[in-house]
Amino acid sequence: MENKINSMKKYKNYIIGAGILIIGIILGNVFSGNDNTKTSHSEEEHNYVQDPVTKLWTCSMHPQIRMEKPGKCPICGMTLIPVDNSSSSEEKIGDNEIVLTAEAIELANIQTSIVERASATKEIRLLGRVKPDERRLFSQVSHIPGRIERLYVNFTGEKVYRGQKIVRIYSPDLISAQKELFEAIRSRDIYPQLYTAARNKLKLWKLSDSQIDAIEKSKKVQEQIDILSDYTGYVMKRNVELGDYITEGSSLFDIADLNSVWVMFEAYEADIPWIQVGNIVDFTINAIPGKNFKGKVTYIDPFVSSSTRVAKVRVELKNPGNKLLPEMYANGIIKAKLTNIKNAIIIPKSAVLWTGKRAVVYVKVPHEKTISFVYREIILGQDMGNFYIVAKGLKEGEVVATNGVFRIDASAQLIGQKSMMNPTGSKGNTGGMAGMDMGGDKKEKETKTEMNDAEMKKMVMIDKSKIDPKFKSQLGEVVDAYIHLKDLLFDGDFAEAKMQSKNVEKALNNVDMLVLLGDAHNEWMKDLKKMNLQVTSIMNAKDIKNQRISFAKLGPELGKSIEKFGFKNSNKPLYLEYCSMKDVYWLSYDKTIKNPFYGDEMPTCGEVTKEYKN
């Protein structure tokens, strides 16, 4: 009995000891893990904050971002890089300067050009047509009234020569004049003046001496007489028919002498100040390939056409062989020079941003190590083709950005500095740091934002055909991830929808915004921020109801992006669908309605409102 009691005490002690040991191990692991986590966290914070070399982190595309820890850019989602403070501490940066890192310069492909002085020359290209020389256009008329008995010239374009028979007419007046001549011939010895007067009467009717001599020799009255051409040239128009009665002065034919022609070029009103009488025009004729022509400007029309806004510029040209025919097309080039401007300040056209009212350039600030640009409005002079003359605003030797100018302007807009769309530099629409609300008068800020957005919407022009196919394919992947999320919400699968929202976020962040330029880049950044906000809300939602609320806002935003940029997938049709019961839109690959907001309750509630095409 005593042994049994001792054995029980021994087992009890073993059990207590084992329990104490297990509890000790558990507590040791807990406290040991916390210490490790704390130590690791402290070391991590120490490395980020106390590093004497790298204290701030920035974005290579948006250098206005300054963070105390590495991570992602809050604007574009790019990985932050360390800030090099070695130069900024030595150089003074102005308030209006847009500072760019070397990486941003390279990624944006920003190029610059030195402002220079040069002669104001321009190569002007002109279109024109060959025209008859108006000084060599003739109207062949009849000097004798009568009736057309015969046409020797029958069609337009026929060539006639001076003295050639063109028509034969019957004329009672001519018969009377011949009788008077014969009477004067019989009394010529007594009244020589009557003979001379009768002969001159026939000459005034443009009968030649040989014709009059033939009449005298025949001693017979000729009832019909041939009319001879007064000019050499081509018939442009025949004005009479056989049997027509004509009066003295009636036009028989219009004749053009094409031994010399005009080439009438059309100059736009902006080019007229460049063109001077005496300028050499090198031109070609489309109908005569391989041959170059050259002539001088002899006349500039003093009037501009109200309908075409062009003025005529005339070049006179000899036309041996009559190879240049009226209405042939000509292409000319004038290397013109403004005589009233010497040593003009010029800049490339690519350096200028137009707002409709203002011309804007970004001038590089002369720092030794820091790369920065400053906004400047200028007044432009004449257009020189690939260059502009600067009338006011720039000096010789200054450096302006000529490529990637839109990206510099986008950076200025993001930080609320002077920019193409914000010439006053007001920060009402950005609130200080881009993408962050820094407080202030909310009503005033909303008013300014609304005005700026309205102005921006008018100015933004995105050509979907010029969007990089790579970007469209990546946006198509976002659509694929979105459709999968839509199907999960239709099935009512809260957990899987939460997981799929992470895939949507990943697809959004994989879209390469660097392939977009100018307005397209800025618009995508706005859209991306809105979509990421809704995706985050879906990820953090506590139930499927809240997931669907955020999903209802995500669909229209994605649809707007597709409208702006287009998308590309495996040629699946994409539809925008609408439910009037909940007043919500969503995207789907299937025309058959599967409402993600009602699920099993009303799965077919909705209709297709639009189709997007690849």
Side-chain angles (χ1 to χ4, degrees):
M1 185 67 178
E2 184 177 352
N3 290 336
K4 189 175 183 180
I5 292 173
N6 290 334
S7 297
M8 291 179 64
K9 287 182 179 180
K10 187 183 293 186
Y11 286 129
K12 186 177 180 181
N13 292 334
Y14 285 154
I15 291 171
I16 293 172
I20 293 172
L21 179 60
I22 292 170
I23 293 171
I25 292 172
I26 293 172
L27 292 176
N29 287 336
V30 170
F31 289 116
S32 175
N34 288 343
D35 290 339
N36 291 338
T37 304
K38 186 175 181 180
T39 302
S40 175
H41 180 70
S42 300
E43 289 175 358
E44 185 178 4
E45 288 184 350
H46 179 77
N47 289 336
Y48 291 153
V49 180
Q50 301 299 329
D51 188 347
V53 177
T54 304
K55 293 186 178 180
L56 293 175
W57 299 77
T58 187
C59 175
S60 58
M61 287 300 296
H62 306 98
Q64 70 274 13
I65 298 299
R66 292 291 188 271
M67 307 293 285
E68 293 183 353
K69 296 179 181 180
K72 298 289 185 180
C73 174
I75 299 174
C76 64
M78 292 183 62
T79 303
L80 299 179
I81 61 174
V83 175
D84 183 4
N85 293 321
S86 58
S87 60
S88 60
S89 60
E90 299 172 2
E91 297 176 319
K92 185 177 180 181
I93 306 300
D95 292 337
N96 292 324
E97 294 181 29
I98 299 97
V99 180
L100 298 175
T101 63
E103 291 83 357
I105 294 288
E106 184 177 355
L107 287 171
N109 193 23
I110 294 172
Q111 299 173 8
T112 59
S113 177
I114 299 174
V115 178
E116 298 177 340
R117 288 188 179 272
S119 58
T121 59
K122 180 181 181 181
E123 188 177 86
I124 302 173
R125 296 186 175 271
L126 304 171
L127 294 177
R129 294 185 183 184
V130 177
K131 297 286 185 181
D133 187 336
E134 292 179 3
R135 297 166 298 190
R136 294 176 175 269
L137 296 177
F138 309 108
S139 179
Q140 176 65 56
V141 300
S142 173
H143 305 286
I144 308 172
R147 183 180 69 242
I148 302 292
E149 295 293 327
R150 183 177 179 181
L151 286 171
Y152 294 103
V153 177
N154 296 308
F155 56 87
T156 300
E158 186 173 354
K159 188 170 184 178
V160 296
Y161 298 90
R162 183 183 177 86
Q164 174 185 332
K165 297 177 184 180
I166 51 176
V167 296
R168 172 173 285 187
I169 67 170
Y170 164 77
S171 174
D173 290 350
L174 182 60
I175 293 173
S176 298
Q178 291 180 79
K179 290 180 180 179
E180 290 176 5
L181 176 62
F182 290 143
E183 290 293 334
I185 290 174
R186 284 191 287 268
S187 60
R188 178 169 49 185
D189 294 337
I190 302 173
Y191 302 108
Q193 296 86 352
L194 290 177
Y195 170 73
T196 302
R199 190 177 174 93
N200 286 341
K201 185 176 182 179
L202 295 175
K203 281 187 177 182
L204 291 174
W205 281 346
K206 295 294 182 177
L207 269 68
S208 67
D209 287 335
S210 61
Q211 285 178 304
I212 298 173
D213 291 341
I215 292 172
E216 288 184 10
K217 187 176 180 180
S218 68
K219 297 180 182 180
K220 292 181 180 180
V221 174
Q222 297 183 15
E223 293 183 354
Q224 297 179 4
I225 194 76
D226 292 328
I227 294 179
L228 308 181
S229 174
D230 297 327
Y231 313 103
T232 297
Y234 292 90
V235 175
M236 295 182 64
K237 186 179 180 182
R238 193 183 76 178
N239 299 314
V240 291
E241 300 291 346
L242 188 66
D244 283 353
Y245 281 86
I246 57 175
T247 61
E248 184 177 356
S250 295
S251 176
L252 304 176
F253 302 96
D254 293 336
I255 298 174
D257 183 357
L258 300 179
N259 286 328
S260 67
V261 293
W262 290 350
V263 183
M264 300 298 291
F265 291 102
E266 295 182 342
Y268 289 104
E269 53 187 319
D271 293 330
I272 293 174
W274 291 85
I275 304 174
Q276 306 293 329
V277 172
N279 285 153
I280 300 296
V281 183
D282 294 301
F283 63 95
T284 58
I285 302 295
N286 292 357
I288 311 176
K291 185 173 178 59
N292 296 320
F293 298 85
K294 184 176 292 188
K296 288 185 178 181
V297 175
T298 58
Y299 174 79
I300 301 171
D301 197 337
F303 301 100
V304 175
S305 170
S306 60
S307 57
T308 61
R309 310 309 303 167
V310 298
K312 301 292 185 181
V313 176
R314 187 172 76 208
V315 173
E316 299 176 14
L317 200 66
K318 295 292 183 182
N319 187 24
N322 295 332
K323 293 182 179 180
L324 300 179
L325 304 180
E327 301 304 319
M328 282 183 173
Y329 282 106
N331 296 285
I333 298 176
I334 297 178
K335 294 182 178 178
K337 182 176 181 179
L338 283 181
T339 57
N340 58 337
I341 297 179
K342 295 182 180 179
N343 294 325
I345 292 179
I346 64 171
I347 59 172
K349 275 188 172 180
S350 60
V352 181
L353 299 178
W354 282 97
T355 68
K357 295 181 179 180
R358 302 184 309 279
V360 173
V361 296
Y362 280 92
V363 182
K364 187 176 181 181
V365 181
H367 294 304
E368 290 185 8
K369 298 180 180 180
T370 305
I371 303 174
S372 64
F373 294 85
V374 65
Y375 167 98
R376 188 179 299 177
E377 294 181 14
I378 61 174
I379 298 176
L380 296 177
Q382 296 289 342
D383 183 345
M384 292 175 56
N386 293 326
F387 296 86
Y388 282 121
I389 294 175
V390 179
K392 187 177 181 182
L394 286 174
K395 297 179 181 179
E396 182 182 6
E398 289 187 305
V399 179
V400 295
T402 55
N403 191 57
V405 188
F406 273 108
R407 296 204 172 189
I408 299 175
D409 190 79
S411 296
Q413 291 181 41
L414 289 169
I415 58 178
Q417 291 186 4
K418 287 185 177 181
S419 62
M420 181 174 62
M421 293 293 102
N422 187 18
T424 61
S426 171
K427 296 187 179 181
N429 63 331
T430 60
M433 184 176 291
M436 297 187 181
D437 184 6
M438 303 302 290
D441 190 328
K442 183 176 180 181
K443 184 176 181 181
E444 179 183 0
K445 184 164 65 176
E446 288 176 351
T447 303
K448 290 182 178 179
T449 302
E450 183 178 352
M451 291 174 63
N452 288 334
D453 286 346
E455 293 174 3
M456 181 70 77
K457 188 173 182 180
K458 292 178 182 178
M459 298 301 299
V460 168
M461 297 179 66
I462 298 174
D463 186 352
K464 286 195 287 190
S465 65
K466 295 182 179 179
I467 298 297
D468 194 308
K470 175 184 174 183
F471 181 90
K472 292 183 178 181
S473 296
Q474 292 170 344
L475 191 54
E477 293 175 5
V478 175
V479 175
D480 288 340
Y482 168 91
I483 297 297
H484 190 190
L485 176 60
K486 185 266 297 184
D487 293 338
L488 291 172
L489 290 174
F490 172 77
D491 294 335
D493 195 331
F494 167 73
E496 287 296 326
K498 190 168 187 175
M499 294 296 295
Q500 180 59 23
S501 63
K502 295 181 180 179
N503 293 331
V504 177
E505 181 186 45
K506 182 179 179 181
L508 282 170
N509 293 331
N510 285 339
V511 175
D512 185 5
M513 69 178 68
L514 297 180
V515 300
L516 299 179
L517 300 176
D519 289 335
H521 181 86
N522 296 338
E523 286 297 301
W524 171 250
M525 285 171 54
K526 293 180 185 177
D527 294 353
L528 179 62
K529 181 180 178 181
K530 294 176 182 177
M531 287 188 284
N532 271 329
L533 180 63
Q534 302 308 325
V535 172
T536 302
S537 298
I538 296 172
M539 291 169 57
N540 297 332
K542 301 299 183 183
D543 51 43
I544 196 167
K545 179 181 178 181
N546 287 312
Q547 283 182 337
R548 286 169 170 168
I549 291 173
S550 298
F551 184 78
K553 299 175 183 178
L554 176 62
E557 295 298 337
L558 182 55
K560 290 176 185 176
S561 294
I562 293 170
E563 287 274 8
K564 295 175 191 174
F565 308 106
F567 77 107
K568 188 175 181 182
N569 59 16
S570 56
N571 293 323
K572 298 177 183 177
L574 180 64
Y575 305 100
L576 180 66
E577 298 173 346
Y578 174 71
C579 172
S580 58
M581 293 292 291
K582 279 190 173 290
D583 191 24
V584 289
Y585 289 87
W586 68 92
L587 301 173
S588 177
Y589 283 149
D590 194 348
K591 272 189 174 182
T592 303
I593 301 298
K594 293 183 178 180
N595 192 315
F597 302 98
Y598 279 117
D600 294 335
E601 297 177 14
M602 287 190 290
T604 60
C605 178
E607 59 180 342
V608 175
T609 62
K610 189 171 186 178
E611 179 179 354
Y612 299 100
K613 295 183 179 180
N614 283 286

PDB file of all heavy atoms in Angstrom, residues 525-543:
ATOM      1  N   MET A 525      -2.441  58.039 -65.721  1.00  0.00           N
ATOM      2  CA  MET A 525      -2.108  58.183 -64.300  1.00  0.00           C
ATOM      3  C   MET A 525      -3.355  58.500 -63.481  1.00  0.00           C
ATOM      4  O   MET A 525      -3.547  57.972 -62.383  1.00  0.00           O
ATOM      5  CB  MET A 525      -1.054  59.279 -64.125  1.00  0.00           C
ATOM      6  CG  MET A 525       0.343  58.841 -64.560  1.00  0.00           C
ATOM      7  SD  MET A 525       1.515  60.202 -64.601  1.00  0.00           S
ATOM      8  CE  MET A 525       1.339  60.829 -62.958  1.00  0.00           C
ATOM      9  N   LYS A 526      -4.231  59.340 -64.016  1.00  0.00           N
ATOM     10  CA  LYS A 526      -5.482  59.661 -63.314  1.00  0.00           C
ATOM     11  C   LYS A 526      -6.362  58.407 -63.200  1.00  0.00           C
ATOM     12  O   LYS A 526      -6.904  58.105 -62.139  1.00  0.00           O
ATOM     13  CB  LYS A 526      -6.243  60.754 -64.069  1.00  0.00           C
ATOM     14  CG  LYS A 526      -5.575  62.115 -64.084  1.00  0.00           C
ATOM     15  CD  LYS A 526      -6.453  63.069 -64.877  1.00  0.00           C
ATOM     16  CE  LYS A 526      -5.783  64.417 -65.031  1.00  0.00           C
ATOM     17  NZ  LYS A 526      -6.597  65.333 -65.866  1.00  0.00           N
ATOM     18  N   ASP A 527      -6.496  57.705 -64.349  1.00  0.00           N
ATOM     19  CA  ASP A 527      -7.349  56.515 -64.352  1.00  0.00           C
ATOM     20  C   ASP A 527      -6.806  55.439 -63.413  1.00  0.00           C
ATOM     21  O   ASP A 527      -7.566  54.777 -62.699  1.00  0.00           O
ATOM     22  CB  ASP A 527      -7.462  55.956 -65.770  1.00  0.00           C
ATOM     23  CG  ASP A 527      -8.187  56.909 -66.715  1.00  0.00           C
ATOM     24  OD1 ASP A 527      -8.702  57.919 -66.217  1.00  0.00           O
ATOM     25  OD2 ASP A 527      -8.223  56.643 -67.922  1.00  0.00           O
ATOM     26  N   LEU A 528      -5.485  55.259 -63.444  1.00  0.00           N
ATOM     27  CA  LEU A 528      -4.856  54.226 -62.615  1.00  0.00           C
ATOM     28  C   LEU A 528      -5.106  54.497 -61.130  1.00  0.00           C
ATOM     29  O   LEU A 528      -5.398  53.579 -60.354  1.00  0.00           O
ATOM     30  CB  LEU A 528      -3.362  54.177 -62.911  1.00  0.00           C
ATOM     31  CG  LEU A 528      -2.544  53.155 -62.116  1.00  0.00           C
ATOM     32  CD1 LEU A 528      -3.016  51.741 -62.409  1.00  0.00           C
ATOM     33  CD2 LEU A 528      -1.052  53.306 -62.423  1.00  0.00           C
ATOM     34  N   LYS A 529      -5.005  55.744 -60.747  1.00  0.00           N
ATOM     35  CA  LYS A 529      -5.224  56.101 -59.335  1.00  0.00           C
ATOM     36  C   LYS A 529      -6.654  55.760 -58.908  1.00  0.00           C
ATOM     37  O   LYS A 529      -6.872  55.185 -57.822  1.00  0.00           O
ATOM     38  CB  LYS A 529      -4.961  57.591 -59.140  1.00  0.00           C
ATOM     39  CG  LYS A 529      -5.137  58.071 -57.711  1.00  0.00           C
ATOM     40  CD  LYS A 529      -4.855  59.554 -57.614  1.00  0.00           C
ATOM     41  CE  LYS A 529      -5.082  60.061 -56.196  1.00  0.00           C
ATOM     42  NZ  LYS A 529      -4.844  61.532 -56.081  1.00  0.00           N
ATOM     43  N   LYS A 530      -7.632  56.055 -59.762  1.00  0.00           N
ATOM     44  CA  LYS A 530      -9.029  55.775 -59.420  1.00  0.00           C
ATOM     45  C   LYS A 530      -9.298  54.276 -59.351  1.00  0.00           C
ATOM     46  O   LYS A 530      -9.983  53.790 -58.452  1.00  0.00           O
ATOM     47  CB  LYS A 530      -9.946  56.431 -60.453  1.00  0.00           C
ATOM     48  CG  LYS A 530      -9.912  57.953 -60.433  1.00  0.00           C
ATOM     49  CD  LYS A 530     -10.778  58.520 -61.543  1.00  0.00           C
ATOM     50  CE  LYS A 530     -10.716  60.047 -61.560  1.00  0.00           C
ATOM     51  NZ  LYS A 530     -11.505  60.619 -62.682  1.00  0.00           N
ATOM     52  N   MET A 531      -8.745  53.523 -60.294  1.00  0.00           N
ATOM     53  CA  MET A 531      -8.991  52.078 -60.311  1.00  0.00           C
ATOM     54  C   MET A 531      -8.300  51.380 -59.150  1.00  0.00           C
ATOM     55  O   MET A 531      -8.873  50.477 -58.539  1.00  0.00           O
ATOM     56  CB  MET A 531      -8.528  51.497 -61.658  1.00  0.00           C
ATOM     57  CG  MET A 531      -9.453  51.857 -62.815  1.00  0.00           C
ATOM     58  SD  MET A 531      -9.073  51.005 -64.375  1.00  0.00           S
ATOM     59  CE  MET A 531      -7.638  51.927 -64.923  1.00  0.00           C
ATOM     60  N   ASN A 532      -7.078  51.788 -58.845  1.00  0.00           N
ATOM     61  CA  ASN A 532      -6.379  51.189 -57.703  1.00  0.00           C
ATOM     62  C   ASN A 532      -7.131  51.439 -56.395  1.00  0.00           C
ATOM     63  O   ASN A 532      -7.135  50.592 -55.499  1.00  0.00           O
ATOM     64  CB  ASN A 532      -4.959  51.746 -57.606  1.00  0.00           C
ATOM     65  CG  ASN A 532      -3.971  50.919 -58.410  1.00  0.00           C
ATOM     66  OD1 ASN A 532      -4.139  49.711 -58.573  1.00  0.00           O
ATOM     67  ND2 ASN A 532      -2.939  51.559 -58.926  1.00  0.00           N
ATOM     68  N   LEU A 533      -7.761  52.601 -56.288  1.00  0.00           N
ATOM     69  CA  LEU A 533      -8.535  52.920 -55.084  1.00  0.00           C
ATOM     70  C   LEU A 533      -9.688  51.939 -54.908  1.00  0.00           C
ATOM     71  O   LEU A 533      -9.926  51.426 -53.802  1.00  0.00           O
ATOM     72  CB  LEU A 533      -9.069  54.358 -55.192  1.00  0.00           C
ATOM     73  CG  LEU A 533      -9.904  54.859 -54.007  1.00  0.00           C
ATOM     74  CD1 LEU A 533      -9.063  54.901 -52.731  1.00  0.00           C
ATOM     75  CD2 LEU A 533     -10.476  56.248 -54.300  1.00  0.00           C
ATOM     76  N   GLN A 534     -10.399  51.617 -55.998  1.00  0.00           N
ATOM     77  CA  GLN A 534     -11.530  50.695 -55.908  1.00  0.00           C
ATOM     78  C   GLN A 534     -11.071  49.256 -55.682  1.00  0.00           C
ATOM     79  O   GLN A 534     -11.705  48.504 -54.934  1.00  0.00           O
ATOM     80  CB  GLN A 534     -12.382  50.782 -57.180  1.00  0.00           C
ATOM     81  CG  GLN A 534     -12.922  52.167 -57.479  1.00  0.00           C
ATOM     82  CD  GLN A 534     -13.652  52.781 -56.307  1.00  0.00           C
ATOM     83  OE1 GLN A 534     -14.319  52.088 -55.533  1.00  0.00           O
ATOM     84  NE2 GLN A 534     -13.516  54.101 -56.153  1.00  0.00           N
ATOM     85  N   VAL A 535      -9.952  48.878 -56.331  1.00  0.00           N
ATOM     86  CA  VAL A 535      -9.428  47.522 -56.126  1.00  0.00           C
ATOM     87  C   VAL A 535      -9.012  47.327 -54.673  1.00  0.00           C
ATOM     88  O   VAL A 535      -9.277  46.277 -54.063  1.00  0.00           O
ATOM     89  CB  VAL A 535      -8.246  47.256 -57.083  1.00  0.00           C
ATOM     90  CG1 VAL A 535      -7.578  45.932 -56.739  1.00  0.00           C
ATOM     91  CG2 VAL A 535      -8.725  47.237 -58.529  1.00  0.00           C
ATOM     92  N   THR A 536      -8.379  48.332 -54.090  1.00  0.00           N
ATOM     93  CA  THR A 536      -7.983  48.262 -52.683  1.00  0.00           C
ATOM     94  C   THR A 536      -9.207  48.112 -51.779  1.00  0.00           C
ATOM     95  O   THR A 536      -9.187  47.366 -50.794  1.00  0.00           O
ATOM     96  CB  THR A 536      -7.181  49.514 -52.290  1.00  0.00           C
ATOM     97  OG1 THR A 536      -6.032  49.617 -53.139  1.00  0.00           O
ATOM     98  CG2 THR A 536      -6.722  49.444 -50.844  1.00  0.00           C
ATOM     99  N   SER A 537     -10.284  48.836 -52.136  1.00  0.00           N
ATOM    100  CA  SER A 537     -11.521  48.734 -51.348  1.00  0.00           C
ATOM    101  C   SER A 537     -12.101  47.322 -51.416  1.00  0.00           C
ATOM    102  O   SER A 537     -12.624  46.808 -50.423  1.00  0.00           O
ATOM    103  CB  SER A 537     -12.552  49.747 -51.859  1.00  0.00           C
ATOM    104  OG  SER A 537     -12.069  51.069 -51.694  1.00  0.00           O
ATOM    105  N   ILE A 538     -12.018  46.684 -52.580  1.00  0.00           N
ATOM    106  CA  ILE A 538     -12.509  45.309 -52.711  1.00  0.00           C
ATOM    107  C   ILE A 538     -11.661  44.356 -51.865  1.00  0.00           C
ATOM    108  O   ILE A 538     -12.180  43.450 -51.201  1.00  0.00           O
ATOM    109  CB  ILE A 538     -12.495  44.878 -54.195  1.00  0.00           C
ATOM    110  CG1 ILE A 538     -13.458  45.743 -55.010  1.00  0.00           C
ATOM    111  CG2 ILE A 538     -12.868  43.406 -54.342  1.00  0.00           C
ATOM    112  CD1 ILE A 538     -13.377  45.538 -56.504  1.00  0.00           C
ATOM    113  N   MET A 539     -10.344  44.566 -51.871  1.00  0.00           N
ATOM    114  CA  MET A 539      -9.445  43.710 -51.088  1.00  0.00           C
ATOM    115  C   MET A 539      -9.721  43.837 -49.601  1.00  0.00           C
ATOM    116  O   MET A 539      -9.618  42.863 -48.847  1.00  0.00           O
ATOM    117  CB  MET A 539      -7.988  44.089 -51.384  1.00  0.00           C
ATOM    118  CG  MET A 539      -7.533  43.738 -52.802  1.00  0.00           C
ATOM    119  SD  MET A 539      -5.931  44.474 -53.230  1.00  0.00           S
ATOM    120  CE  MET A 539      -4.918  43.807 -51.926  1.00  0.00           C
ATOM    121  N   ASN A 540     -10.065  45.050 -49.150  1.00  0.00           N
ATOM    122  CA  ASN A 540     -10.242  45.300 -47.716  1.00  0.00           C
ATOM    123  C   ASN A 540     -11.698  45.154 -47.255  1.00  0.00           C
ATOM    124  O   ASN A 540     -11.995  45.379 -46.081  1.00  0.00           O
ATOM    125  CB  ASN A 540      -9.738  46.701 -47.366  1.00  0.00           C
ATOM    126  CG  ASN A 540      -8.245  46.846 -47.624  1.00  0.00           C
ATOM    127  OD1 ASN A 540      -7.493  45.868 -47.553  1.00  0.00           O
ATOM    128  ND2 ASN A 540      -7.793  48.063 -47.925  1.00  0.00           N
ATOM    129  N   ALA A 541     -12.599  44.827 -48.181  1.00  0.00           N
ATOM    130  CA  ALA A 541     -14.017  44.730 -47.827  1.00  0.00           C
ATOM    131  C   ALA A 541     -14.250  43.593 -46.827  1.00  0.00           C
ATOM    132  O   ALA A 541     -13.601  42.544 -46.882  1.00  0.00           O
ATOM    133  CB  ALA A 541     -14.854  44.509 -49.086  1.00  0.00           C
ATOM    134  N   LYS A 542     -15.202  43.791 -45.917  1.00  0.00           N
ATOM    135  CA  LYS A 542     -15.508  42.811 -44.877  1.00  0.00           C
ATOM    136  C   LYS A 542     -16.554  41.792 -45.326  1.00  0.00           C
ATOM    137  O   LYS A 542     -16.709  40.747 -44.714  1.00  0.00           O
ATOM    138  CB  LYS A 542     -16.005  43.527 -43.616  1.00  0.00           C
ATOM    139  CG  LYS A 542     -15.002  44.508 -43.038  1.00  0.00           C
ATOM    140  CD  LYS A 542     -13.705  43.821 -42.613  1.00  0.00           C
ATOM    141  CE  LYS A 542     -12.739  44.802 -41.961  1.00  0.00           C
ATOM    142  NZ  LYS A 542     -11.446  44.153 -41.620  1.00  0.00           N
ATOM    143  N   ASP A 543     -17.284  42.140 -46.382  1.00  0.00           N
ATOM    144  CA  ASP A 543     -18.313  41.212 -46.854  1.00  0.00           C
ATOM    145  C   ASP A 543     -18.505  41.446 -48.351  1.00  0.00           C
ATOM    146  O   ASP A 543     -17.992  42.396 -48.935  1.00  0.00           O
ATOM    147  CB  ASP A 543     -19.635  41.396 -46.103  1.00  0.00           C
ATOM    148  CG  ASP A 543     -20.089  42.848 -46.077  1.00  0.00           C
ATOM    149  OD1 ASP A 543     -19.986  43.515 -47.126  1.00  0.00           O
ATOM    150  OD2 ASP A 543     -20.528  43.325 -45.001  1.00  0.00           O
TER     151      ASP A 543
END
